[in-house]
Amino acid sequence: MSAGTFTPAPGAAPVARQVLAQTAMEARLLLRNGEQLLLAVVIPLIVLVGAVRGSAALDLGSKHTSVDVLTPGVLALAVMSTAFTSLAIATGFERRYGVLKRLGTAPLARGALLGGKIGALLLVEVLQFLVIGAAGLALGWSPDVQPVALLLAVLLGTAAFAGLGMLLAGTLRAEATLAAANLVYLLLLAGGAVVLPAAAYGGLGDVMTWLPSGALGEAMRDAFDGSVAWRELATLAAWAVGGGAAAGRWFRWE
Amino acid sequence: MAVPEPSPAVRIDGLVMRYGDKTAVDGLSLEVAAHTITAVLGPNGAGKTTTLETCEGYRRPQAGSVRVLGLDPVADRRALMPRIGVMLQAGGAWSGVRADEMLTHVARLHAHPLDTGLLMDRLALHECGRTPYRRLSGGQQQRLGLAMALVGRPELVFVDEPTAGLDPQVRRTVWELLEELRTDGVTVVLTTHYLEEAERLADHVHILDKGTLVASGSPLELTRGGTVATIRLVVTQPFPPGAPQSLADALGPTTELIVLDEHSLQVSGPADGSTLAVVSRWCEHHGVLPESLTLGQRNLEDVFLELTARETEVSGS
């Protein structure tokens, strides 16, 4: 057969290359989207500045300054907004517009798709940490970083929220996902012990640390206070396993 | 020793697909020969898209079997997917993505992709510029969909209504492209609503109705009606009640009358000038104003309409 333009030469790219391509694409799309950017960077910055200013008058009952307590909380909020809300909304609309269906035959392996999504989440989180961290430092934050605890908190927190986000996106319609992901975000922002420490919730504080939001908030605050919150990290790991398993079981691709 | 027949690119055997209590595909069996353009025709709801999606591994057969390039689309998904190209009827891209970005992304997922610039040229996609996908015209989205199906250099492409909504000039470009694919050794399976598209392009046509295969053959085989001629009458107002039955009576038993819809009917059989005269007299008698009255050989559209005409009330009601 003559070698024409379209002479077949099929084959999938190596998985590593697919993951890289998918990571780059998803991160680019996330950062290009105005609402996502608002959620990822602008709202956390407003919360940080507003809370630090507002709490000057309050006593958080801590030996730390308010910026030392609040900055790790806002970083936890940033992880939650990206790994849960942004991921759920983006994936919900990918399902709606047939992107997942299309890429499935493209041929993007499901593992590579997930790898790409995780890569994009981590990339965006690094950017969030740089921006929010810089703002915190400018406000007088003096962290005492425990690197292993920080890494575990970010990874396990991302995994826990991403599993729940995928569960939401894979079972509801896109509009319902949009509404639910934003609502859950607002509820946890207000009362999930993310930004404010669990201790600030009085008797409810203990319950809060069993939520993924509270566990991530506490783990992050400890990590920037030179210690490791093992119980909270274990809680996040349990949510990650449970959420991931549920998403794997019930996620519908279209 | 006999030369083995080249194995078919697609083999469907007794496929059954149901949604709830609605049967979309009802014991369908068909084959697609390699290196051909095969058209799958049928009215809306005939089961075309469901059948295609089963071949593409999106749906698991509820009964029967589907083999594509000798593989099971569900069990052998990983092996099969790189070898096929799929053009969906709609969607398949992020709403904020640009055409060139999307095509480049799909190219990166393949081992030996085509040059994306070449595909952009051939399908006039450069005109999309930096416009996000959601703001592209329907025709631009269609062409991008076709480009995404081809960029991985597949052996077999499934194209679902490739020219729906394209202007005539672009439609011709797409036809030429599909013919070039066949020349280069790619098997093309397409669904279409445009019968002239199937007639012009396809080596083989499968006509589906209500989930089963009602006819199969080359366009020539399907339209060959021997000495049978066809009279087609289209009228401006709906037929008066009972009128078609009176025409059938006037024409006699050697002809067959099919009411295609409330504005058109078709007479086939040993029709000649006198048959035409009967029809025109009948029109006059019933005060029916013909919009067109034609006598001619059958084309694929006639065959299609005959085979898929819904149970019509020729016997009066």
Coordinates of all heavy atoms in Angstrom, one line a residue, chain A residues 106-140:
Chain A
A106 N -9.3 8.6 23.0 CA -8.3 9.5 22.3 C -6.9 8.9 22.1 O -6.2 9.3 21.2 CB -8.1 10.8 23.1
P107 N -6.4 7.9 22.8 CA -6.8 7.1 23.8 C -6.1 7.4 25.1 O -4.9 7.2 25.3 CB -6.3 5.7 23.4 CG -5.1 6.0 22.6 CD -5.1 7.5 22.2
L108 N -6.8 8.1 26.0 CA -6.3 8.4 27.3 C -6.7 7.4 28.3 O -7.9 7.2 28.6 CB -6.7 9.8 27.7 CG -6.2 10.3 29.1 CD1 -4.7 10.6 29.0 CD2 -6.9 11.6 29.4
A109 N -5.8 6.6 28.9 CA -6.1 5.6 29.9 C -6.7 6.4 31.1 O -6.4 7.5 31.4 CB -4.9 4.8 30.3
R110 N -7.6 5.7 31.8 CA -8.3 6.3 33.0 C -7.2 6.7 34.1 O -7.3 7.7 34.7 CB -9.3 5.4 33.6 CG -10.5 5.4 32.7 CD -11.6 4.4 33.1 NE -12.6 4.4 32.1 CZ -13.7 3.7 32.1 NH1 -14.0 2.9 33.1 NH2 -14.6 3.8 31.2
G111 N -6.2 5.8 34.2 CA -5.2 6.1 35.2 C -4.4 7.4 34.8 O -4.1 8.2 35.7
A112 N -4.2 7.5 33.5 CA -3.4 8.7 33.0 C -4.3 9.9 33.2 O -3.8 11.0 33.5 CB -3.0 8.5 31.6
L113 N -5.6 9.8 33.0 CA -6.5 10.9 33.2 C -6.4 11.4 34.7 O -6.3 12.6 35.0 CB -7.9 10.6 32.8 CG -9.0 11.6 33.2 CD1 -8.9 12.8 32.2 CD2 -10.4 11.0 33.2
L114 N -6.5 10.4 35.6 CA -6.5 10.7 37.0 C -5.1 11.3 37.4 O -5.0 12.3 38.1 CB -6.7 9.5 37.9 CG -8.2 9.1 38.0 CD1 -8.3 7.8 38.8 CD2 -9.0 10.2 38.5
G115 N -4.1 10.7 36.8 CA -2.7 11.3 37.1 C -2.6 12.7 36.6 O -2.0 13.5 37.3
G116 N -3.2 13.0 35.5 CA -3.1 14.4 34.9 C -3.9 15.3 35.8 O -3.4 16.4 36.1
K117 N -5.0 14.9 36.3 CA -5.8 15.7 37.2 C -5.1 16.0 38.5 O -5.0 17.1 39.0 CB -7.2 15.1 37.5 CG -8.1 15.2 36.4 CD -9.5 14.7 36.8 CE -10.5 15.0 35.7 NZ -10.6 16.4 35.3
I118 N -4.5 15.0 39.1 CA -3.7 15.1 40.3 C -2.5 16.1 40.1 O -2.3 17.0 40.9 CB -3.3 13.8 40.9 CG1 -4.5 13.0 41.3 CG2 -2.3 14.0 42.0 CD1 -4.2 11.5 41.6
G119 N -1.8 15.9 39.0 CA -0.7 16.7 38.6 C -1.1 18.2 38.5 O -0.5 19.1 39.1
A120 N -2.3 18.4 37.9 CA -2.8 19.8 37.7 C -3.1 20.4 39.1 O -2.8 21.6 39.4 CB -4.0 19.8 36.8
L121 N -3.8 19.6 39.9 CA -4.1 20.1 41.3 C -2.9 20.5 42.0 O -2.9 21.6 42.6 CB -4.9 19.0 42.1 CG -6.2 18.5 41.6 CD1 -6.8 17.5 42.6 CD2 -7.2 19.7 41.5
L122 N -1.9 19.7 42.0 CA -0.7 20.0 42.8 C 0.0 21.2 42.2 O 0.5 22.1 43.0 CB 0.3 18.8 42.8 CG -0.3 17.5 43.5 CD1 0.7 16.3 43.4 CD2 -0.6 17.8 45.0
L123 N 0.0 21.3 40.9 CA 0.6 22.5 40.3 C -0.1 23.8 40.7 O 0.6 24.8 41.1 CB 0.5 22.4 38.8 CG 1.7 22.9 37.9 CD1 2.9 22.1 38.2 CD2 1.3 22.8 36.4
V124 N -1.4 23.8 40.7 CA -2.2 24.9 41.1 C -1.9 25.2 42.6 O -1.8 26.4 43.0 CB -3.7 24.8 40.8 CG1 -4.5 25.9 41.4 CG2 -3.9 24.7 39.3
E125 N -1.9 24.1 43.4 CA -1.7 24.3 44.8 C -0.3 25.0 45.1 O -0.2 25.8 46.0 CB -1.8 23.0 45.6 CG -3.3 22.6 45.7 CD -3.4 21.1 46.2 OE1 -2.4 20.5 46.5 OE2 -4.6 20.7 46.2
V126 N 0.7 24.6 44.4 CA 2.0 25.2 44.5 C 1.9 26.7 44.3 O 2.4 27.6 45.1 CB 3.1 24.6 43.6 CG1 4.3 25.5 43.6 CG2 3.4 23.2 44.1
L127 N 1.2 27.1 43.2 CA 1.0 28.5 42.9 C 0.3 29.2 44.1 O 0.6 30.3 44.5 CB 0.2 28.7 41.6 CG 1.0 28.4 40.4 CD1 0.1 28.4 39.2 CD2 2.2 29.3 40.2
Q128 N -0.8 28.5 44.6 CA -1.6 29.1 45.7 C -0.7 29.3 46.9 O -0.8 30.4 47.6 CB -2.7 28.2 46.0 CG -3.8 28.1 45.0 CD -4.9 27.1 45.4 OE1 -4.6 26.0 45.5 NE2 -6.1 27.6 45.6
F129 N 0.1 28.3 47.2 CA 1.0 28.4 48.4 C 2.0 29.6 48.3 O 2.2 30.3 49.2 CB 1.8 27.1 48.6 CG 1.0 26.2 49.5 CD1 -0.3 25.8 49.2 CD2 1.5 25.7 50.7 CE1 -1.0 24.9 49.9 CE2 0.8 24.8 51.5 CZ -0.4 24.4 51.1
L130 N 2.5 29.8 47.0 CA 3.4 30.9 46.8 C 2.7 32.3 47.0 O 3.2 33.1 47.8 CB 4.0 30.9 45.4 CG 5.0 29.7 45.1 CD1 5.4 29.7 43.7 CD2 6.2 29.8 46.1
V131 N 1.5 32.4 46.5 CA 0.8 33.7 46.6 C 0.4 33.9 48.0 O 0.6 35.0 48.6 CB -0.3 33.7 45.6 CG1 -1.2 35.0 45.8 CG2 0.1 33.7 44.1
I132 N -0.3 32.9 48.6 CA -0.9 33.1 49.9 C 0.2 33.2 51.0 O 0.2 34.0 51.9 CB -1.9 32.0 50.2 CG1 -3.1 32.1 49.3 CG2 -2.4 32.1 51.7 CD1 -3.9 30.8 49.2
G133 N 1.2 32.4 50.8 CA 2.4 32.4 51.7 C 3.0 33.7 51.7 O 3.4 34.3 52.8
A134 N 3.2 34.3 50.5 CA 3.8 35.6 50.4 C 3.0 36.7 51.1 O 3.5 37.5 51.9 CB 4.1 36.0 48.9
A135 N 1.7 36.6 50.9 CA 0.8 37.5 51.6 C 0.9 37.4 53.1 O 0.9 38.4 53.8 CB -0.6 37.3 51.1
G136 N 0.9 36.1 53.6 CA 1.0 35.9 55.0 C 2.3 36.5 55.6 O 2.3 37.1 56.6
L137 N 3.4 36.2 54.9 CA 4.7 36.7 55.3 C 4.6 38.3 55.4 O 5.2 38.9 56.4 CB 5.8 36.3 54.4 CG 6.1 34.7 54.5 CD1 7.1 34.3 53.4 CD2 6.6 34.3 55.9
A138 N 4.0 38.8 54.4 CA 3.9 40.3 54.4 C 3.1 40.8 55.6 O 3.3 41.9 56.1 CB 3.3 40.8 53.1
L139 N 2.2 40.0 56.1 CA 1.3 40.4 57.2 C 2.0 40.0 58.5 O 1.4 40.2 59.6 CB 0.0 39.7 57.1 CG -1.0 40.2 56.0 CD1 -2.1 39.3 55.8 CD2 -1.4 41.6 56.3
G140 N 3.2 39.5 58.5 CA 3.9 39.2 59.7 C 3.9 37.7 60.2 O 4.2 37.4 61.3

